[in-house]
Amino acid sequence: MKKYILSLLLGTLSILLHAQGVGSWKAYPAYQIATKNIPIGNKVYSLCNGNLLSYNTEDTEVICYDKINQLSDSKIKYVEYNPTADRLILVYDNCNIDLLDRDDNVLNLAQYKNVTTPDKNINYITIDGKYAYLATNSSLIILDMQAGVFAKTYELEKKVLCCATDETHIYVSTSTGTYKGDKSLNLQDKSNWTFVTSQQMTDIFYLDHSFFVYIHNNGLFKADENMALTRINSDKYTFRCLQNGHLILGNENKIVIYESDASSRTIRQSNPFKYLTLHKGTFWASCGIKGLQAYKENTTTQQLEPSQGAIQPNSPAYDNFYYMKFTGERLLVAGGSLNYYNTQYEGTAMYYENDTWTNFEYGDSISKKTGMSYINLTTIAQDPQDADHHFVSSARQGLYEFRKGKFIKNHNYRNSSLHTILPGSSHPQDYVSCSGLTFDAEGNLWMLNNEVDTIFKILKPNGQWVRLYYNEIEGAPTFDFMMFDRNGRIWANSRRQTNRGIFCLDYNGTLEKRSDDKHILRSEIINQDGIKYTPDEFLCMTEDRNGQIWIGTNNGPFVITYPDAFFQNNFTFEQIKIAREDGSNLADYLLNNIIINTIAVDGGNRKWLGTAGNGVYLVSPDGQEMIHHFTEDNSPLISNNVSSIAINGRTGEVMIGTDKGLVSYMSDATEPAYELDKENIYAYPNPVQPDYNGPIVVKGLTADCEVKVVSTTGQLIYSGTSNGGIFTWNGRNLQGKRVSSGIYNILTNTSEGNDCVVTKIAVIK
């Protein structure tokens, strides 16, 4: 038995090295944009894109922290270090708080996050002894970082902008001026706070028994114990840091370093710094898109010079995942939004393949070439003839073209058939709305040009443009996504406002011939029971493995069961009914009135539905069974606001894009194999060790494959069908008991019963 088990183990070793556990989660945070750093001992902690990493200056190890591995939440707003408690305090944008020590132990303090008080934003943190002072919109909260408890709360009933302490007093600058409180008094009594000045301050620093005050757009001041101000200079400082006995202030032209009230020096140089610290003779600079970098001061030139390369792990450029789509095993990503009222997402175009992120050229580099803001990218498409050639649409700046990730052209109202919404504007180039990129079988690139008379535009491989006009969608402002179904019809969702609905176009594969086109826009949904809906938002659509079209709206999901009938006058949508289990013979509609932002179909034809505020639902192929409902509270999902879902058909990895970034879940369904092939079927883990309690997975199966687990004596242990190309077994028999040690045969048959393949698996109990 032991020899046989060993041979099985050796035979599947290469598979096991690459297999990821079904049911496991993984995070993909962005670590490109460095904004703050804190050096402690031989580590430098760096805040990047609201995510945390540490760099070990001795062995160069980089540790990336995230919700799945160490932390309690996502999107860090503030990070500070308390040397007395020897802990970092991490404040998340939802007011959750973690204390992180240098051994990477985390203590979560969620009490303030869970308080029902409205407008509880944390605005500032000051460290004094073992305490952290948290300035909020109505109070000052004192946190004992050594004990890991909230010590006191001073309800000031006014917004606290910043705070500081000296040996005897606490100072708070608020929306109504600046106050001080004697630490020896009961400061929970508001009358014990003394008004000292009407001046509102941005920063108060206490260094070497002296106060330094910075006021936004007004410069740096010295202050006495009553906050009487004496101007030092009128400079604007974009970064301000008090750490390790140094007050460092700077802007793009100079750096000022104070070690005491009487000792300062200035380094004059151009710099890209967002934040700067000094530790053991090394300056650590957070350089925005250039990452975390170490600098040394050249004593001859008195300039800071890089002393090593940037610490910038491979990751997404930004945590923006508005649109995702797999092309083969390459995940294409565009991060922006068509919801362009007061929303600006940095231009994000990238792809993920072979565990590596490739970020396209971005930021000021493209803006300088086009003269336009590079923001709000909506979709991305890869040239089917050239994997290095991509197009990216924009909510307002037309169509961008890239080769090998480098910008090569902007297609706009001057050089293409794309039209501007406001041709009479002084900046017509800023009103070219483009979305919905998709290639057809002939290599033509289709796109949606919103809020103009002709919405559908096509760029042919030879560079020629085709325009398709349909009167019912003229001027529609928010056409979003577009897809071809298996019969070559075009489906597009007009998201909201006027002309909203689902638009279907059957052009019979003839771009140049218009007389045989069939097209219709449906803004009203009538379900099978005759109930009418007029959704405010038609948010998404996808075709399942049976050719049915699933639609996501703010009223929940609907199904176009027979797409061929969509043009008929008596057409109705299906709204999935779930029977109640109370004997009433009544039923409820599936996820009725839940906002469905995105729908993806896995290899088992199951539907993954991403919502606005309700996390992710996984339902059976017909929608009748709720398999999973993942939220922030019951899973590592980092946000309940899900914008996009894409599934790797080969591995089953479900990529979930949220407003806080990207996570994935390894599902138990993959694309089915075309035929059963013994060489491609394998089971893992194999052997199954005594301490393993997860699912045992068989991969490489055909759709709806019949699977039986049988003992060597022919006894049936377990049976079921595959989800796409995967079958899972819990290691238990039909009575629910864990099976004994031994070799078990996995018998696999196609759904038609035509083929049979046997795989063996060893169990050690």
Side-chain angles (χ1 to χ4, degrees):
M1 168 66 78
K2 291 183 179 178
K3 290 182 179 179
Y4 190 73
I5 290 174
L6 180 60
S7 67
L8 280 173
L9 177 60
L10 293 175
T12 58
L13 180 58
S14 61
I15 293 171
L16 291 172
L17 289 174
H18 299 284
Q20 296 183 32
V22 168
S24 63
W25 291 79
K26 186 176 181 180
Y28 296 89
Y31 294 106
Q32 299 296 298
I33 316 297
T35 54
K36 182 172 183 175
N37 69 82
I38 300 177
I40 308 169
N42 63 341
K43 282 187 176 182
V44 183
Y45 292 87
S46 178
L47 188 64
C48 307
N49 301 81
N51 303 306
L52 186 69
L53 65 82
S54 67
Y55 172 72
N56 192 309
T57 58
E58 293 183 353
D59 60 15
T60 70
E61 179 187 25
V62 175
I63 297 175
C64 297
Y65 302 87
D66 59 60
K67 181 181 177 183
I68 294 175
N69 293 316
Q70 293 98 351
L71 306 182
S72 303
D73 223 312
S74 300
K75 286 300 164 194
I76 300 167
K77 184 177 182 181
Y78 297 109
V79 55
E80 298 290 348
Y81 174 63
N82 186 314
T84 302
D86 197 19
R87 281 173 160 170
L88 290 167
I89 179 172
L90 313 178
V91 176
Y92 301 93
D93 60 5
N94 63 358
C95 294
N96 202 358
I97 296 173
D98 273 347
L99 302 182
L100 175 69
D101 68 24
R102 281 195 277 171
D103 293 325
D104 293 338
N105 298 307
V106 174
L107 175 63
N108 180 235
L109 303 174
Q111 294 94 316
Y112 187 62
K113 170 193 172 185
N114 296 330
V115 169
T116 57
T117 303
D119 196 20
K120 57 186 176 185
N121 192 54
I122 295 174
N123 306 311
Y124 200 87
I125 301 177
T126 289
I127 302 297
D128 180 20
K130 65 179 182 177
Y131 297 108
Y133 291 76
L134 312 181
T136 81
N137 278 358
S138 62
S139 63
L140 184 69
I141 298 173
I142 303 178
L143 173 61
D144 184 335
M145 289 184 60
Q146 201 163 58
V149 296
F150 289 93
K152 295 178 182 178
T153 299
Y154 301 137
E155 295 290 350
L156 302 176
E157 297 180 352
K158 50 181 65 73
K159 183 178 182 178
V160 183
L161 306 174
C162 64
C163 56
T165 64
D166 62 11
E167 291 77 10
T168 58
H169 287 82
I170 302 171
Y171 297 81
V172 294
S173 186
T174 76
S175 54
T176 61
T178 301
Y179 301 76
K180 74 174 184 178
D182 190 323
K183 292 180 180 179
S184 65
L185 301 178
N186 175 20
L187 295 180
Q188 290 174 325
D189 183 347
K190 289 189 288 292
S191 65
N192 286 327
W193 289 88
T194 303
F195 179 83
V196 291
T197 177
S198 60
Q199 182 65 62
Q200 296 180 8
M201 302 168 184
T202 306
D203 287 300
I204 308 174
F205 301 108
Y206 186 61
L207 173 67
D208 192 32
H209 305 289
S210 299
F211 285 106
F212 293 83
V213 170
Y214 178 73
I215 299 175
H216 181 64
N217 288 334
N218 204 11
L220 184 67
F221 298 81
K222 177 78 180 298
D224 65 14
E225 66 277 6
N226 289 314
M227 291 293 123
L229 303 179
T230 303
R231 184 183 297 276
I232 297 175
N233 58 55
S234 300
D235 294 336
K236 297 178 181 179
Y237 295 112
T238 54
F239 57 88
R240 305 171 294 277
C241 165
L242 178 60
Q243 282 185 20
N244 302 320
H246 299 90
L247 174 61
I248 303 178
L249 309 99
N251 53 40
E252 61 184 9
N253 298 313
K254 72 176 182 179
I255 301 159
V256 182
I257 305 169
Y258 288 88
E259 294 183 356
S260 68
D261 177 28
S263 175
S264 70
R265 61 192 179 97
T266 300
I267 300 173
R268 297 187 181 277
Q269 69 178 83
S270 298
N271 65 77
F273 305 153
K274 306 298 181 185
Y275 200 79
L276 188 68
T277 60
L278 175 59
H279 183 61
K280 296 181 180 180
T282 298
F283 287 89
W284 291 96
S286 299
C287 300
I289 62 174
K290 295 183 178 180
L292 174 68
Q293 297 189 25
Y295 285 78
K296 292 287 188 179
E297 186 173 5
N298 186 314
T299 56
T300 302
T301 63
Q302 294 184 332
Q303 299 280 289
L304 301 187
E305 299 175 349
S307 59
Q308 65 183 66
I311 293 92
Q312 199 169 30
N314 182 259
S315 74
Y318 299 100
D319 286 319
N320 302 336
F321 292 88
Y322 174 73
Y323 174 86
M324 297 192 297
K325 180 181 180 180
F326 270 102
T327 297
E329 291 194 55
R330 175 180 288 183
L331 177 69
L332 303 176
V333 178
S337 174
L338 262 182
N339 183 21
Y340 30 73
Y341 293 112
N342 299 318
T343 58
Q344 292 190 358
Y345 296 93
E346 301 92 342
T348 307
M350 53 193 171
Y351 65 78
Y352 179 70
E353 186 177 35
N354 297 325
D355 298 323
T356 300
W357 288 95
T358 298
N359 295 301
F360 290 13
E361 184 179 353
Y362 58 92
D364 292 341
S365 174
I366 292 182
S367 295
K368 290 176 181 177
K369 295 174 182 177
T370 64
M372 300 181 294
S373 298
Y374 186 58
I375 57 174
N376 285 349
L377 306 183
T378 54
T379 54
I380 180 172
Q382 180 172 298
D383 186 338
Q385 301 301 318
D386 184 352
D388 291 328
H389 189 205
H390 295 86
F391 293 86
V392 181
S393 61
S394 167
R396 279 294 188 257
Q397 280 76 43
L399 177 69
Y400 293 94
E401 186 174 357
F402 294 84
R403 189 172 296 281
K404 294 185 177 180
K406 299 298 183 182
F407 169 78
I408 59 175
K409 187 175 183 179
N410 175 252
H411 301 264
N412 52 60
Y413 79 103
R414 295 189 185 98
N415 61 12
S416 75
S417 285
L418 295 174
H419 288 174
T420 176
I421 300 167
L422 299 177
S425 166
S426 58
H427 300 282
Q429 69 274 15
D430 291 325
Y431 297 95
V432 182
S433 179
C434 187
S435 63
L437 300 183
T438 188
F439 279 94
D440 65 19
E442 285 73 42
N444 301 308
L445 178 61
W446 291 63
M447 66 199 73
L448 300 162
N449 185 192
N450 283 311
E451 215 163 338
V452 298
D453 60 352
T454 305
I455 300 294
F456 279 82
K457 307 288 172 65
I458 299 99
L459 175 60
K460 302 179 77 171
N462 62 7
Q464 294 181 346
W465 287 82
V466 176
R467 295 180 291 176
L468 302 180
Y469 170 80
Y470 303 104
N471 65 306
E472 65 263 49
I473 59 172
E474 180 179 348
T478 55
F479 263 104
D480 206 354
F481 304 127
M482 179 167 47
M483 71 175 190
F484 286 91
D485 68 15
R486 62 185 58 192
N487 293 311
R489 290 176 295 235
I490 280 283
W491 298 82
N493 67 308
S494 181
R495 178 180 285 250
R496 58 190 175 88
Q497 298 181 347
T498 57
N499 307 90
R500 66 183 180 271
I502 298 298
F503 181 76
C504 182
L505 165 65
D506 187 350
Y507 70 106
N508 282 298
T510 56
L511 278 179
E512 312 299 337
K513 183 180 179 182
R514 303 291 305 285
S515 59
D516 59 354
D517 289 1
K518 294 172 61 178
H519 49 90
I520 188 171
L521 173 71
R522 291 194 179 275
S523 299
E524 182 180 72
I525 290 177
I526 302 176
N527 74 5
Q528 70 273 28
D529 297 324
I531 298 175
K532 294 182 180 180
Y533 297 85
T534 54
D536 293 324
E537 293 189 284
F538 291 80
L539 295 157
C540 62
M541 70 218 154
T542 192
E543 183 180 29
D544 74 8
R545 301 181 68 83
N546 293 329
Q548 297 181 342
I549 309 294
W550 284 61
I551 306 294
T553 76
N554 64 295
N555 293 129
F558 297 86
V559 183
I560 301 174
T561 309
Y562 302 104
D564 291 343
F566 194 71
F567 295 101
Q568 298 176 5
N569 292 332
N570 60 350
F571 173 81
T572 59
F573 291 79
E574 181 183 358
Q575 196 171 11
I576 304 297
K577 287 183 175 181
I578 311 297
R580 297 179 187 175
E581 297 181 355
D582 57 5
S584 64
N585 292 322
L586 298 177
D588 299 298
Y589 293 122
L590 173 66
L591 303 181
N592 195 29
N593 292 321
I594 298 294
I595 300 173
I596 308 299
N597 282 334
T598 180
I599 305 174
V601 179
D602 67 19
N605 203 30
R606 304 177 306 177
K607 282 58 178 195
W608 294 79
L609 300 99
T611 73
N614 284 279
V616 176
Y617 295 87
L618 171 62
V619 300
S620 60
D622 60 3
Q624 289 293 318
E625 179 187 358
M626 184 71 67
I627 300 170
H628 291 301
H629 179 203
F630 296 125
T631 68
E632 293 179 63
D633 296 329
N634 66 15
S635 75
L637 186 66
I638 58 176
S639 173
N640 288 331
N641 294 309
V642 179
S643 55
S644 58
I645 297 176
I647 301 173
N648 186 324
R650 186 186 69 83
T651 65
E653 187 175 15
V654 181
M655 312 298 283
I656 304 171
T658 78
D659 59 348
K660 291 186 177 182
L662 178 68
V663 294
S664 74
Y665 175 80
M666 189 58 70
S667 78
D668 57 350
T670 61
E671 289 292 322
Y674 178 73
E675 61 182 359
L676 288 179
D677 184 345
K678 185 175 178 62
E679 297 299 319
N680 296 326
I681 298 174
Y682 61 90
Y684 68 89
N686 196 3
V688 181
Q689 299 292 342
D691 59 349
Y692 181 75
N693 293 307
I696 300 164
V697 178
V698 183
K699 278 195 170 185
L701 307 178
T702 54
D704 300 320
C705 190
E706 297 177 356
V707 183
K708 295 180 180 179
V709 181
V710 179
S711 69
T712 53
T713 62
Q715 179 186 6
L716 177 64
I717 304 298
Y718 191 82
S719 65
T721 57
S722 63
N723 285 321
I726 281 183
F727 172 79
T728 58
W729 172 40
N730 61 8
R732 298 178 180 275
N733 60 24
L734 296 174
Q735 289 72 44
K737 295 182 179 180
R738 187 178 177 90
V739 298
S740 303
S741 296
I743 303 298
Y744 293 87
N745 295 316
I746 311 294
L747 309 181
T748 56
N749 292 271
T750 63
S751 57
E752 297 83 9
N754 297 331
D755 300 301
C756 179
V757 174
V758 180
T759 301
K760 295 183 182 296
I761 190 167
V763 176
I764 306 172
K765 187 175 181 181

